[in-house]
């Protein structure tokens, strides 16, 4: 299967390399690459997490983590070191699995959310974990050297179900006005059924929501920072992707504190997706943006090189219209191998794709 | 979905829902695809089989619903978009959500062709209808609701065909 760009320009292509019946008779909700890119974890409505490894050109199941949850597993996330996997479930718990020579072992179960946990993410520092839930809250957990987890903050900023959380890729958040004033803290973003994205950081030992990104007209399902952490992509039930930026260049006459980068929407991709966009992934290696859509398609966008940084434009470089037999729920770029993309769907399958960049980019 | 409704109220809801669903016969013909007139009656036919396990009533007897509509649009040569809109006269928010859930589950399972489904409830009152529509069209919320054993039991009773 090959899919080129809509107008035939450029030489972009998305080709299928492997398809797996990962969660048969069920739906696959999410896939996540291990930090080395050697393993892919998937999770689904059959309440299990599966870990897949490469065997030649194929992917084979290396572990099934079936005993951790009583309901759907919605998302999985690998720790930075690759030794732990966290799984977020509709049973209101988050399991932490440790990789052992024999497979994976559940070392702890985090409880506290009132209902379904929708997302889990490890901070780049490795010492924090964030979870979010239909109970409208975002929880931040601290983990110590003895694998003990403690909730250090419960953030109730959203007014509805929180769908996704993602950490800023850096350990420190810089300002562009005065690079010497670096905020030595981590930044967290959350996406919600309340149509907003919120950003959080630690201020004087307490986590606070410091800004709300408004603009989407319906539920925000997914988030992805670019490699440098200067931009954030969000995708929504309103069938658009929005790109938000924290740069302040080109804003004459606006008085702001030099330690307060403000985020605003610098680009909206609309008219490409015909149904809800469930996930967006921004490749750290190539800058390509992939989307997972309820119209069964996977699309890839690349930033046009001659555009101004504050007014970027993105071109659609690949469109695989029947990537899956049903809604595509997740897309994930391999962190080590440029152009390798994994996806999963309501049809229970996981697919692997090779994205060939267009020659013009 | 909230679990605050008494058993008596649930039974009343079953009755009202079945009556309304039996009425779901009005539809609009959209587009020029020759297969749509064949496919279109399928959705209402399937919906009509949703029942109250104890005793069905007719629309005329209870006059529950003012109007309903089923649209079928072609997405591509093998897939159709099915849009269902209905207006229950009983302005009961939980009933409307339950109806939406049953509709979605029943059609998902029984429509014999590849489809995408949208369900809209118009209560004729003001703010709650948007909230209900957003919930019943959020597949993650629907999936989680169906993992709630109490809710699942009720929905299964409503959508299962008699032997």
């Amino acid at each position: 299967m090959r899919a080129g760009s809509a107008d035939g320009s450029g030489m972009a292509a998305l080709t299928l390399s492997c398809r797996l019946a990962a969660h048969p008779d069920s739906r696959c909700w999410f896939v996540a690459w291990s930090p080395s890119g050697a393993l892919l974890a998937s999770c689904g409505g059959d309440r299990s997490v599966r870990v897949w490894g490469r065997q030649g050109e194929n992917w084979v199941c290396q572990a099934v983590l079936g005993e951790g949850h009583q309901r759907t597993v919605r998302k999985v996330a690998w720790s930075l070191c690759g030794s732990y996997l966290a799984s977020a479930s509709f049973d209101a718990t988050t399991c932490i699995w440790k990789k052992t020579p024999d497979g994976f072992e559940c070392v702890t179960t985090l409880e506290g959310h009132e209902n379904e946990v929708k997302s889990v993410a490890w901070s780049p520092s490795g010492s924090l974990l964030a979870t979010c839930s239909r109970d409208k809250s975002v929880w931040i957990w601290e983990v110590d050297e003895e694998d003990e987890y403690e909730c250090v903050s419960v953030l109730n900023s959203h007014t509805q179900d929180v769908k996704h959380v993602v950490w800023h890729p850096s350990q420190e958040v810089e300002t562009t006005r005065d690079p010497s004033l670096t905020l030595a803290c981590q930044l967290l973003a959350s996406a919600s059924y309340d149509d907003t994205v919120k950003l959080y950081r630690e201020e004087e030992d307490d986590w606070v929501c410091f800004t709300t990104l408004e603009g989407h007209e319906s539920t925000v399902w997914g988030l992805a920072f670019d490699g440098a952490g200067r931009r954030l992509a969000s995708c929504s039930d309103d069938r658009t992707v929005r790109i938000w930026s924290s740069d302040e260049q080109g804003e004459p006459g606006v008085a702001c504190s030099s330690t307060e980068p403000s985020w605003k929407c610098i680009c909206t991709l609309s008219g490409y997706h015909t149904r809800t966009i469930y996930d967006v992934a921004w490749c750290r290696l190539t800058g390509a943006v992939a989307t997972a859509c309820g119209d069964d398609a996977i699309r890839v966008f690349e930033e046009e090189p001659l555009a101004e940084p504050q007014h970027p434009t993105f071109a659609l470089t690949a469109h695989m219209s029947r990537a899956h037999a049903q809604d595509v729920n997740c897309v994930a770029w391999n962190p080590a191998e440029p152009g390798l993309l994994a996806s999963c769907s309501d049809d229970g399958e996981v697919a692997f794709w090779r994205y060939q960049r267009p020659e013009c980019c | 979905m909230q679990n605050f409704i008494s058993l008596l109220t649930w039974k009343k809801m079953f009755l009202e829902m079945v009556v309304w669903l039996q009425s779901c016969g009005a539809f609009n013909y959209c587009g020029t695809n020759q297969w749509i007139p064949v496919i279109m009656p399928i959705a209402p036919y399937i919906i009509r089989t949703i029942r109250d396990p104890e005793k069905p009533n007719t629309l005329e007897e209870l006059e529950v619903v003012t109007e309903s509509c089923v649209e079928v649009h072609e997405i591509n040569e093998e897939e159709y978009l099915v849009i269902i809109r209905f207006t229950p006269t009983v302005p009961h928010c939980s009933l409307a959500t339950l109806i939406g859930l049953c509709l979605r589950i029943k059609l998902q399972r029984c429509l014999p062709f590849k489809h995408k489904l949208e369900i809209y409830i118009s209560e004729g009152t003001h703010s709650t209808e948007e909230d209900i529509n957003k919930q019943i069209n959020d597949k993650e919320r629907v999936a989680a609701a169906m993992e709630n054993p109490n809710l699942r039991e009720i929905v299964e009773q409503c959508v299962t065909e008699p032997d």
Side-chain angles (χ1 to χ4, degrees):
Chain A
M1 292 170 75
R2 266 181 93 86
S5 57
D7 62 359
S9 68
M11 300 294 285
L14 202 57
T15 42
L16 179 70
S17 103
C18 182
R19 203 184 276 282
L20 305 169
H23 296 268
D25 303 319
S26 186
R27 75 203 320 164
C28 185
W29 278 110
F30 202 74
V31 286
W33 290 102
S34 64
S36 68
L39 299 174
L40 184 78
S42 69
C43 61
D46 62 0
R47 309 169 181 185
S48 77
V49 173
R50 285 166 194 249
V51 179
W52 307 87
R54 212 189 307 235
Q55 209 174 71
E57 260 306 299
N58 291 321
W59 292 82
V60 295
C61 185
Q62 293 193 354
V64 179
L65 285 50
E67 302 300 314
H69 291 292
Q70 275 72 59
R71 296 195 185 179
T72 286
V73 184
R74 181 62 180 89
K75 297 219 172 88
V76 278
W78 294 87
S79 66
L80 219 73
C81 58
S83 304
Y84 296 88
L85 200 52
S87 58
S89 170
F90 286 178
D91 68 8
T93 72
T94 305
C95 279
I96 310 293
W97 308 83
K98 186 170 181 157
K99 198 163 187 292
T100 69
D102 302 319
F104 286 81
E105 176 193 313
C106 180
V107 295
T108 195
T109 301
L110 305 180
E111 296 176 343
H113 280 296
E114 290 169 28
N115 45 52
E116 301 91 66
V117 187
K118 302 286 176 93
S119 186
V120 60
W122 300 83
S123 70
S125 70
S127 62
L128 299 176
L129 190 74
T131 57
C132 66
S133 163
R134 179 168 65 86
D135 67 11
K136 308 173 194 174
S137 69
V138 171
W139 287 42
I140 299 185
W141 309 77
E142 219 165 58
V143 51
D144 65 20
E145 307 80 37
E146 274 106 52
D147 292 350
E148 294 287 317
Y149 291 77
E150 187 195 339
C151 175
V152 296
S153 189
V154 174
L155 298 152
N156 290 299
S157 313
H158 281 294
T159 57
Q160 294 279 0
D161 181 7
V162 190
K163 299 294 200 186
H164 197 60
V165 279
V166 70
W167 289 94
H168 187 277
S170 312
Q171 293 191 44
E172 293 171 345
V173 178
E174 288 176 17
T175 68
T176 56
R177 274 185 183 252
D178 190 341
S180 69
L181 288 167
T182 301
L183 300 172
C185 69
Q186 294 166 92
L187 194 154
L188 180 70
S190 64
S192 170
Y193 184 98
D194 69 12
D195 309 349
T196 71
V197 174
K198 286 183 183 276
L199 302 181
Y200 312 84
R201 62 168 176 240
E202 208 173 356
E203 277 174 16
E204 293 164 10
D205 270 349
D206 225 350
W207 283 87
V208 297
C209 168
F210 69 92
T211 195
T212 299
L213 309 181
E214 294 174 334
H216 278 299
E217 293 167 9
S218 188
T219 299
V220 187
W221 282 97
L223 294 169
F225 279 102
D226 70 352
R230 290 213 187 286
R231 289 159 172 196
L232 175 64
S234 60
C235 65
S236 168
D237 177 60
D238 69 7
R239 307 175 184 184
T240 70
V241 171
R242 284 178 182 251
I243 312 290
W244 311 83
S245 171
S246 68
D247 293 335
E248 288 179 64
Q249 287 153 17
E251 278 250 298
V254 177
C256 349
S257 142
S258 55
T259 60
E260 187 69 54
S262 67
W263 290 76
K264 58 188 204 314
C265 183
I266 57 171
C267 178
T268 301
L269 304 178
S270 59
Y272 297 97
H273 300 84
T274 62
R275 299 203 59 83
T276 304
I277 311 171
Y278 290 108
D279 196 23
V280 60
W282 208 324
C283 183
R284 305 259 160 106
L285 304 172
T286 66
V289 175
T291 59
C293 188
D295 62 10
D296 312 349
I298 293 173
R299 293 170 178 80
V300 183
F301 298 84
E302 298 237 31
E303 187 173 352
E304 279 171 346
L306 300 178
E308 297 169 40
Q310 278 306 92
H311 301 282
T313 52
F314 285 78
L316 177 69
T317 55
H319 176 189
M320 177 57 73
S321 56
R322 280 169 229 191
H324 287 277
Q326 293 177 49
D327 294 6
V328 189
N329 292 322
C330 179
V331 276
W333 294 103
N334 187 291
E337 200 175 319
L340 177 57
L341 182 72
S343 65
C344 71
S345 165
D346 278 352
D347 66 7
E349 295 191 340
V350 165
F352 297 85
W353 309 86
R354 294 220 165 269
Y355 171 67
Q356 198 74 39
R357 303 188 68 202
E359 284 176 5
C360 58
C361 285
Chain B
M1 296 294 293
Q2 290 144 18
N3 299 317
F4 59 85
I5 299 170
S6 72
L7 186 58
L8 226 62
T9 317
W10 279 127
K11 288 184 127 177
K12 180 168 190 292
M13 283 181 191
F14 289 154
L15 225 62
E16 288 166 346
M17 175 172 60
V18 167
V19 165
W20 168 75
L21 290 168
Q22 283 173 342
S23 81
C24 192
F27 47 80
N28 294 332
Y29 175 46
C30 310
T32 57
N33 185 303
Q34 60 170 334
W35 292 110
I36 287 183
V38 173
I39 284 163
M40 288 199 61
I42 294 176
Y45 175 77
I46 286 169
I47 292 167
R48 209 170 278 125
T49 67
I50 299 176
R51 61 178 180 80
D52 175 345
E54 293 185 13
K55 56 168 183 170
N57 281 341
T58 66
L59 172 69
E60 286 74 31
E61 285 171 29
L62 289 183
E63 293 178 347
V64 177
V65 166
T66 55
E67 65 184 47
S68 57
C69 164
V70 179
E71 287 172 41
V72 179
H73 299 266
E74 186 183 307
I75 295 173
N76 55 57
E77 55 278 358
E78 56 179 50
E79 192 170 20
Y80 296 87
L81 170 63
V82 177
I83 301 175
I84 298 184
R85 297 177 213 276
F86 72 101
T87 309
T89 54
V90 178
H92 198 314
C93 143
S94 301
L95 169 64
T97 316
L98 179 62
I99 289 177
L101 194 59
C102 288
L103 272 175
R104 183 165 285 278
I105 298 304
K106 183 68 176 179
L107 289 168
Q108 226 163 253
R109 290 179 187 174
C110 299
L111 275 176
F113 49 87
K114 194 162 184 288
H115 65 278
K116 299 289 183 193
L117 182 59
E118 289 174 17
I119 300 172
Y120 299 105
I121 291 170
S122 168
E123 286 198 333
T125 53
H126 49 114
S127 55
T128 58
E129 60 192 66
E130 275 181 36
D131 298 340
I132 293 168
N133 288 332
K134 194 171 182 183
Q135 261 198 78
I136 62 183
N137 288 299
D138 179 321
K139 71 177 188 187
E140 187 185 68
R141 295 288 281 258
V142 168
M146 285 301 284
E147 288 192 333
N148 173 318
N150 298 328
L151 196 51
R152 190 190 181 102
E153 178 59 32
I154 292 163
V155 172
E156 293 291 355
Q157 279 184 39
C158 295
V159 305
T160 306
E161 304 212 20
D163 293 326

